[in-house]
Amino acid sequence: MQIALLGGLVLFVWWLAGNTHENLTERGIRTGFDYLWRPARFPISESIVRYDASDSFFWAYVVGLANTLWLSFLSILFATLLGLVVGLSRRSAHPLLSRFAGTYVTVLRNVPLIVQLLFWYAIATSLFPVPREALNPLPGVFLSIRGVYAPALTLGPGASMLLIVAAFLMVIAIVAGFKVSAGKPLPAKAASVGLFLCVWVVAIVWLSGMLGHPVGLEAPALKGLNFRGGMVLSPEFAAIITGLTIYTSAFIGEIIRGGIDAVEKGQWEGARALGLSERHIMFRIILPQALRIIVPPMTSQYLSTVKNTTLAVAVGYPELGLVVNTVINQTGQAIESILIMLAVFLSISLSVSAFMNWYNARVALVVR
Amino acid sequence: MTCKTTLTAMAMIAAFAAPALAQSTSTLDTVKERGRLICGSSQGTPGFGAPDDNGYWRGLDVETCRAVAVAVLDDKDAVDFVPLSGQQRIPALQTGEIDMLPRTLTWTLQRDANGINFTTPNYYEFTGFMMPKSLGITSVEDMAGASVCVQTGSTTEVVVNDVSTKNDLDLQPVVFDNTTAGRQAFFSGRCDALITDAGALASVRATMADNPDDYVIFPATPYMDALTPAVRHGDDQWLDIVTWSIQAMIAAEAFGLTSENIDDYLDSDDPRIRRFLGTDPGNGAALGLSDDFAYRIVKSVGNYAEVYDRNVGMDSPLKLERGYNALFNDGGLMFPLAFQ
């Protein structure tokens, strides 16, 4: 029976592919993946991996994918932390806090994400002045409509060695501080760790001087029409990350609250009878049990978040969807591009889901 | 938006995956049977294609559809407009969602070779930059480091990169999927410049700027683009019908025929005009239309000058000079092909 079903499916896909190919040929539309290696020629406004317009279409997809993963990772991380706060706030005994969290959840869950993104983008592009009148709250930090610019680390030759040695020496300094002051009260411990850290700073400055100061700070500067150099947080990225985090946190907050509420009341009563503090009860007894209930719905929430990153096109952040749109327009190879996007999102979703299933199996109640 | 694009693409896959239809049904027969012409249009570029306050579609590109509707269905209002984004438009035409695509579409080799056919240019223009006058920049060479709002799904993405590389300008593109979002970002000051077709820039300036005089438009490249309505591959008769419907408006201007005076020429002795109007039969029949199709187009839509002036020229808010869109004998690039 199953074999027949599988055979039928294979035949169906074969039939679809055959027809598609025949129809495409008939309409004179090019097919195939050889366009992947031609230069893309279109710009991508920002990326976490290097991209140049002379790179290939394939590399443009990689750049889009890297941006998608980076965006997904950050928004899932921030939304989970914020969601935990929201979920706990909603259960708070303080009426102001729980009402506020309740309003937060209701409003954010009922306004479409795309509307929220455009809202955040409008704020991001109207909050700050034009570059020439940029705010300069700290030396080297500029706030303007083009984004937030800050000094960036510049690494010269020998920089990686210096950084590794510095990190290693810092660990030694802290450990040595604790060893020396073993058995003494806390103020003495802190003083001795502080002393060793002072020695560490002197040593690092001396070492850096020996190597010719390979690590430096490059401050952004207004050159021509825009700031150059330094790190930048663009309004597009700020809008999408804020929007996604806040929207998702409302759902995650509800999942966490639901998970906590589902833990039996007897657990609270028992823990209180033992004289544990409320904080201890929550983090040591209730949350670990709630986790078993939380993980499965959380998995689908994470998957939705990954898929929601494609809405970033609305505010001009170049994630995979935007790159795919552009490639379709430049090459006309819609089917190939959409197939690649399907394959990529399927792989991401399956990976997230596999990881969460593994985690779920770990935290699940072991039934003997 | 992406989901829309994905849907379009899915629909496209579905459409392509369907068993090959009997090719005997021509677009002409389909349109006649349906009684409506379905046209791809922009999502709102006043002057070229946008609904007015009453929801009635107006614009230079829109009127090419009306001309075809008159030729085929004898009713300039028998047209349905489907607003399409830059990257939806070509798949929509290829899959048969629309019958023709007059949407400020640049005639390029890649597009021509890949599943669509171009008819005849209805507008010539350069790709331009629009910048606030206050920046004091009026040519590409001075734009070093400028950030540019670009809309995806257009040829301008490649232009911005080519211009930047060629002049070593290090332009910083901010790419938008949504036309309106990109334009708003420009006016909010997110970018120093907005790049798109000069005509569309004029349209944006006339309709979106608080004070249109505060903005300057200048060419991004020394080259002209031919904006050309397109049809699907594989239906030569339909290609001819759309081509000659647009040509009818250009020829009418060359002959001095307007929607006002055309009836006076019905008994003209000039053989060219007699053939054009269908007084001497043959032209319309060759296309599968009635012989007076050109007469009906001019009578109900107008000649090219009328259409130009009312939508983008001096009678419109855009106030664009005829420039390269003048007739050949006025120094422009528009010339009528032979109606015989």
Side-chain angles (χ1 to χ4, degrees):
Chain A
M1 176 67 193
Q2 278 169 346
I3 291 172
L5 206 64
L6 186 71
L9 190 69
V10 168
L11 276 180
F12 179 68
V13 171
W14 182 258
W15 177 80
L16 273 185
N19 268 326
T20 307
H21 185 74
E22 192 181 314
N23 286 349
L24 285 174
T25 319
E26 199 170 279
R27 292 174 201 195
I29 299 173
R30 234 182 356 239
T31 50
F33 286 92
D34 43 344
Y35 73 97
L36 283 175
W37 312 110
R38 294 206 309 266
R41 296 180 64 222
F42 60 83
I44 294 179
S45 51
E46 59 184 303
S47 58
I48 59 163
V49 295
R50 266 191 66 79
Y51 172 79
D52 187 85
S54 57
D55 288 331
S56 64
F57 282 108
F58 175 78
W59 190 250
Y61 284 135
V62 172
V63 170
L65 174 61
N67 282 352
T68 292
L69 291 176
W70 177 235
L71 185 59
S72 308
F73 171 75
L74 286 184
S75 41
I76 284 178
L77 181 71
F78 294 153
T80 306
L81 296 177
L82 188 59
L84 184 63
V85 174
V86 172
L88 294 182
S89 303
R90 268 207 87 175
R91 295 199 72 272
S92 163
H94 198 295
L96 201 61
L97 192 58
S98 63
R99 291 267 172 76
F100 176 76
T103 314
Y104 177 92
V105 166
T106 314
V107 169
L108 289 169
R109 289 213 310 178
N110 289 301
V111 177
L113 178 56
I114 190 91
V115 175
Q116 296 189 32
L117 291 180
L118 292 172
F119 171 78
W120 291 114
Y121 188 61
I123 289 191
T125 51
S126 56
L127 198 59
F128 296 128
V130 296
R132 283 179 193 178
E133 295 153 19
L135 304 175
N136 193 353
L138 293 168
V141 176
F142 295 93
L143 308 177
S144 85
I145 192 170
R146 304 286 155 78
V148 178
Y149 283 79
L153 280 182
T154 52
L155 304 178
S160 48
M161 195 187 95
L162 180 69
L163 290 178
I164 291 169
V165 171
F168 184 65
L169 287 183
M170 185 188 296
V171 173
I172 291 186
I174 293 172
V175 171
F178 277 111
K179 282 264 169 176
V180 166
S181 58
K184 304 248 175 71
L186 193 63
K189 270 188 182 165
S192 122
V193 169
L195 183 70
F196 275 91
L197 280 180
C198 285
V199 175
W200 173 79
V201 168
V202 173
I204 293 306
V205 170
W206 176 77
L207 189 64
S208 172
M210 292 289 288
L211 290 167
H213 294 293
V215 177
L217 277 182
E218 183 203 22
L222 190 59
K223 254 202 243 162
L225 293 164
N226 283 299
F227 286 98
R228 286 306 154 99
M231 294 184 294
V232 60
L233 171 67
S234 72
E236 289 75 34
F237 188 68
I240 179 72
I241 196 83
T242 312
L244 263 185
T245 299
I246 291 184
Y247 176 79
T248 312
S249 72
F251 288 87
I252 291 184
E254 281 298 89
I255 292 173
I256 290 177
R257 183 186 64 91
I260 293 171
D261 283 349
V263 176
E264 271 180 69
K265 229 166 97 188
Q267 298 287 326
W268 287 94
E269 291 162 350
R272 286 199 187 109
L274 286 172
L276 292 176
S277 75
E278 289 293 308
R279 199 165 60 90
H280 262 102
I281 300 174
M282 179 57 86
F283 286 96
R284 294 283 165 81
I285 293 176
I286 304 300
L287 270 185
Q289 297 186 68
L291 215 50
R292 292 179 191 135
I293 306 156
I294 289 171
V295 170
M298 201 74 118
T299 307
S300 37
Q301 191 55 50
Y302 286 173
L303 293 180
S304 313
T305 309
V306 172
K307 287 180 279 181
N308 282 340
T309 58
T310 53
L311 290 173
V313 289
V315 294
Y317 181 74
E319 43 65 65
L320 185 64
L322 187 111
V323 173
V324 165
N325 284 352
T326 309
V327 172
I328 292 177
N329 182 62
Q330 296 296 335
T331 62
Q333 300 196 290
I335 294 189
E336 292 86 346
S337 300
I338 293 294
L339 281 180
I340 288 177
M341 186 146 97
L342 285 178
V344 166
F345 274 98
L346 194 63
S347 323
I348 299 178
S349 296
L350 289 179
S351 313
V352 172
S353 149
F355 173 78
M356 293 300 279
N357 282 339
W358 166 81
Y359 185 69
N360 191 33
R362 250 190 58 139
V363 297
L365 196 60
V366 182
V367 184
R368 289 180 213 276
Chain B
M1 318 268 141
T2 314
C3 47
K4 246 197 267 166
T5 317
T6 315
L7 280 181
T8 315
M10 296 296 252
M12 189 176 164
I13 292 173
F16 284 142
L21 295 166
Q23 287 299 303
S24 56
T25 49
S26 69
T27 312
L28 178 63
D29 292 340
T30 314
V31 172
K32 274 183 172 163
E33 213 166 281
R34 196 196 291 131
R36 309 283 294 174
L37 174 71
I38 303 180
C39 256
S41 70
S42 82
Q43 291 169 315
T45 301
F48 292 88
D52 65 10
D53 295 343
N54 303 316
Y56 188 76
W57 281 82
R58 294 186 189 281
L60 185 77
D61 285 332
V62 163
E63 304 232 22
T64 60
C65 286
R66 300 207 183 279
V68 174
V70 168
V72 177
L73 302 166
D74 201 13
D75 177 4
K76 68 174 175 153
D77 291 325
V79 192
D80 292 330
F81 293 97
V82 180
L84 296 167
S85 75
Q87 46 343 66
Q88 289 168 328
R89 55 188 174 176
I90 291 174
L93 179 65
Q94 289 169 329
T95 52
E97 196 189 325
I98 55 176
D99 300 317
M100 59 179 281
L101 179 62
R103 188 194 168 288
T104 53
L105 182 72
T106 305
W107 190 334
T108 71
L109 184 148
Q110 291 288 338
R111 288 172 176 165
D112 205 349
N114 205 4
I116 63 174
N117 276 341
F118 287 90
T119 57
T120 193
N122 70 334
Y123 195 76
Y124 292 97
E125 72 175 347
F126 55 84
T127 301
F129 284 113
M130 175 156 71
M131 295 184 81
K133 267 188 190 151
S134 58
L135 292 175
I137 294 175
T138 52
S139 75
V140 168
E141 290 74 25
D142 302 330
M143 286 183 67
S147 66
V148 182
C149 283
V150 185
Q151 115 201 10
T152 182
S154 58
T155 48
T156 52
E157 284 172 292
V158 173
V159 171
V160 83
N161 175 58
D162 288 355
V163 167
S164 179
T165 313
K166 187 177 149 208
N167 300 309
D168 197 17
L169 296 176
D170 190 22
L171 296 179
Q172 299 174 333
V174 187
V175 184
F176 290 88
D177 181 62
N178 180 317
T179 316
T180 323
R183 291 170 181 177
Q184 275 163 356
F186 168 71
F187 284 109
S188 79
R190 172 66 187 92
C191 313
D192 299 306
L194 178 67
I195 185 172
T196 187
D197 300 327
L201 285 177
S203 164
V204 170
R205 178 168 70 174
T207 52
M208 286 181 78
D210 292 335
N211 182 7
D213 288 339
D214 289 347
Y215 295 90
V216 56
I217 296 172
F218 53 87
T221 69
Y223 310 109
M224 274 288 151
D225 286 329
L227 303 189
T228 312
V231 295
R232 244 184 318 284
H233 253 195
D235 189 340
D236 294 348
Q237 183 195 25
W238 186 246
L239 173 72
D240 293 341
I241 289 172
V242 175
T243 304
W244 290 95
S245 297
I246 298 169
Q247 276 291 328
M249 296 188 282
I250 299 170
E253 187 188 355
F255 292 146
L257 306 176
T258 68
S259 55
E260 311 277 315
N261 71 11
I262 191 164
D263 286 332
D264 305 341
Y265 287 84
L266 281 173
D267 50 2
S268 164
D269 296 332
D270 185 340
R272 282 187 77 107
I273 291 184
R274 288 179 67 82
R275 280 195 296 269
F276 179 76
L277 296 178
T279 322
D280 287 350
N283 278 344
L287 293 171
L289 302 171
S290 63
D291 272 323
D292 61 346
F293 82 98
Y295 163 79
R296 286 186 284 111
I297 288 175
V298 179
K299 179 78 184 160
S300 86
V301 179
N303 69 24
Y304 186 76
E306 292 176 86
V307 170
Y308 188 96
D309 290 342
R310 127 173 115 229
N311 291 299
V312 296
M314 289 306 156
D315 301 341
S316 77
L318 273 64
K319 305 244 178 297
L320 296 173
E321 300 279 348
R322 280 293 289 271
Y324 285 102
N325 293 299
L327 284 182
F328 66 104
N329 45 9
D330 294 332
L333 293 170
M334 287 290 172
F335 67 95
L337 304 175
F339 269 77
Q340 51 186 288

